Amino acid sequence: MAAGLVISAPASGVGKTTLTLALARAWRNRGLKVQCFKSGPDYIDPAFHAAATGRASVNVDSWAMDRGAIAHLVSRGADADVVLAEGSMGLFDGVAARGVSGTGATADIAEMLGWPVVLVIDPSGQAQTAAAIAAGLRDYRAGVRLAGVVLNRVASPRHEDLVRRALNDAGIAVFGALPRHAEISLPKRHLGLVQAEEQAEIGKLIDEAARFVAEHVDLDAVLQSAAKWSPQATANGLNVTPPGQRIALARDAAFSFVYPHMLEAWRAAGAEISTFSPLADEVPDPSADVCWLPGGYPELHAGRIAANARFRSGLRGFAETRPVHGECGGYMVLGAALTDADGVRHEMAGLLGLETSFAKRRMHLGYRLAELAAPMPGHQVGARLRGHEFHYSTILAQPDTPLAVVHDATGTVIAETGSQRGRATGTFFHLIAEDR
């Protein structure tokens, strides 16, 4: 029987991912099978999980998914010895209005699965107050159990002692305390961590993190705090319809933001996926019946994309007879032009009239519920889709037919409607699940 734990924190940026990777690798080094999941709409962390465990990781999301879908996804951990769900933001952070089975908070997943929470706390600039924060999180919601805490970035032995004493007085277990250690810092950029596939030394970094954490954290105590768990039988899978039978998927450093569960669901439904690299000036598989451009970092490669005439002309030729869809960065590349951070305008594919600018940065972040006003690959007019939007680009022009009426999590209509022109469609949100 597997044992389940949730790794969370009071806020973002305190070390959840590093601890998750370190624990996973340290236990794997001991011969245990470790399965990871990511709570919430993050398409970067699962690749790090896979690098640490050797097993594919997927997202579970209480705002976009029902309990059956979540149970279906986590059932892949049935043969593992330990299952770790890494949270997003702070433990109770979600949206104001409840979605399918929750607000998207990590606490929803912890309560739903019955897994205790290990809190990562960074006590920088405080001492006993860290215990007050941990106690508040412990007592905030009755259905969420706190296993204990791991302190991160403690300044000195005296600092650690002050925090430990306060936590012990509050009845909260301390599994370990990590001094500052630059060698295990994961590099970041504007949309989160630099992707695992872009880091040649990621294996060594995870190994060092595992060594460091094993030296300072009681791995046996953390493991013993996990809840024994076996997956619930469910007839429900994922509400996902493939966009076609044979899908040409853009895949490289500029086009990599796609949820692993989506690709798995497409394949499970019988679809075939062939990948191609726009950065390598490749074109979609001519035998495919649909082309899908996921998000990523086209703003960092705009000049190269603009210069790859074979890719752009091949994509336009494909769209003459078959549908092409882009999500976020893929949507931007389907547009007329993309202005980079230096203010240089680069011509894109021109299948849509969208023009965006990364020089005029403005964060767009949040869950999206879209009702299609025009068809897109795999979905007809009226379909309701749940997704998530996260980018910093500003819309300069969005002249085409709106693809959907798009609401945020509070029900407010937003301006990022997506676009449709001919056989080309695009959205700024990344599809997570169909709303049935």
Side-chain angles (χ1 to χ4, degrees), residues 20 62 102 118 133 140 182 216 286 306 326-327 341 354-355 373 376 401 434:
T20 300
S62 68
V118 174
I133 292 171
Y140 187 76
H216 295 278
E327 289 187 329
L354 178 73
E355 293 201 31
M376 62 172 273
T401 301
E434 299 168 21

Side-chain angles (χ1 to χ4, degrees), residues 59 62 154 180 191 197 211 230 251 285 372 378 428 436:
N59 302 76
S62 68
V154 294
R180 292 185 178 91
L191 294 179
E197 61 199 62
R211 183 204 63 76
S230 59
R251 184 73 178 180
D285 182 347
L372 293 184
F428 270 114
R436 292 178 178 171

Side-chain angles (χ1 to χ4, degrees), residues 384-429:
R384 288 163 55 91
L385 307 176
R386 289 183 179 266
H388 187 264
E389 179 177 348
F390 183 25
H391 64 95
Y392 283 89
S393 296
T394 298
I395 297 174
L396 302 180
Q398 189 175 249
D400 298 311
T401 301
L403 179 63
V405 177
V406 182
H407 299 82
D408 67 14
T410 67
T412 302
V413 175
I414 64 169
E416 291 78 21
T417 62
S419 300
Q420 181 267 327
R421 180 197 290 180
R423 294 181 176 83
T425 55
T427 65
F428 270 114
F429 67 83

Side-chain angles (χ1 to χ4, degrees), residues 65-233:
M65 299 173 180
D66 61 29
R67 287 175 173 262
I70 293 170
H72 171 77
L73 287 169
V74 300
S75 66
R76 72 186 55 217
D79 67 334
D81 298 302
V82 59
V83 186
L84 297 175
E86 181 192 348
S88 297
M89 301 186 294
L91 176 59
F92 297 101
D93 294 330
V95 293
R98 184 180 175 86
V100 179
S101 59
T103 65
T106 301
D108 295 339
I109 300 300
E111 183 172 11
M112 192 182 301
L113 298 175
W115 295 353
V117 176
V118 174
L119 280 178
V120 186
I121 291 185
D122 180 350
S124 299
Q126 59 185 200
Q128 290 90 340
T129 300
I133 292 171
L137 292 169
R138 176 194 60 194
D139 300 337
Y140 187 76
R141 183 164 159 181
V144 178
R145 291 185 292 133
L146 178 62
V149 304
V150 172
L151 303 175
N152 191 23
R153 304 173 191 139
V154 294
S156 66
R158 177 178 177 275
H159 183 212
E160 177 186 338
D161 183 62
L162 286 171
V163 180
R164 275 184 178 271
R165 286 174 181 270
L167 285 162
N168 287 335
D169 288 346
I172 297 172
V174 180
F175 295 128
L178 305 174
R180 292 185 178 91
H181 189 52
E183 286 75 11
I184 63 171
S185 296
L186 296 168
K188 299 179 181 179
R189 57 163 68 111
H190 58 281
L191 294 179
L193 298 175
V194 174
Q195 299 169 95
E197 61 199 62
E198 296 182 61
Q199 299 188 47
E201 301 296 316
I202 187 60
K204 292 181 180 179
L205 191 151
I206 294 174
D207 277 335
E208 174 58 20
R211 183 204 63 76
F212 183 70
V213 167
E215 184 179 319
H216 295 278
V217 173
D218 187 340
L219 298 181
D220 292 329
V222 177
L223 188 59
Q224 289 166 11
S225 75
K228 294 298 182 182
W229 166 83
S230 59
Q232 299 176 351

Side-chain angles (χ1 to χ4, degrees), residues 307-318:
N308 286 350
R310 181 172 179 266
F311 156 67
R312 292 195 295 128
S313 63
L315 189 64
R316 288 193 290 264
F318 189 99

Side-chain angles (χ1 to χ4, degrees), residues 32-44:
L32 299 179
K33 293 181 181 177
V34 185
Q35 173 68 56
C36 288
F37 298 100
K38 178 67 180 183
S39 174
D42 183 299
Y43 21 67
I44 295 177

